[in-house]
Amino acid sequence: VTPPARLMRVFVDADHVDAALGALARDGFDASRNGHGVWVRIDPGEKAGPILCLARSDIRVKDFDLSPRTSEDSR
């Protein structure tokens, strides 16, 4: 049984949120706005993916954390 996807909160500068959402979407991530950052749905073992995606797009990640919730909890 595959564990459910997790939600990662990634914090970027407020003026880079739209760019972050665009970069994540281009790389196939399911992401949504969250104040000064974004929520990103990640599969188990893929926690580095959103951070690497943003780094490739020259978007500085100020901080991130994993929510105790899974994407199934938000349905």
Side-chain angles (χ1 to χ4, degrees):
V1 174
T2 303
R6 298 288 305 269
L7 295 174
M8 174 186 276
R9 190 167 39 178
V10 181
F11 298 92
V12 298
D13 289 328
D15 56 338
H16 291 128
V17 172
D18 289 334
L21 287 170
L24 290 163
R26 281 190 300 278
D27 273 16
F29 290 100
D30 179 10
S32 60
R33 180 180 294 276
N34 176 38
H36 291 285
V38 295
W39 282 111
V40 185
R41 181 186 169 279
I42 54 169
D43 291 323
E46 298 294 327
K47 293 182 287 290
I51 305 303
L52 294 172
C53 167
L54 295 174
R56 282 192 303 270
S57 298
D58 294 324
I59 299 170
R60 184 170 92 68
V61 174
K62 294 167 54 175
D63 198 3
F64 72 93
D65 60 26
L66 288 176
S67 171
R69 301 179 314 165
T70 65
S71 61
E72 291 177 355
D73 294 337
S74 62
R75 292 183 183 167

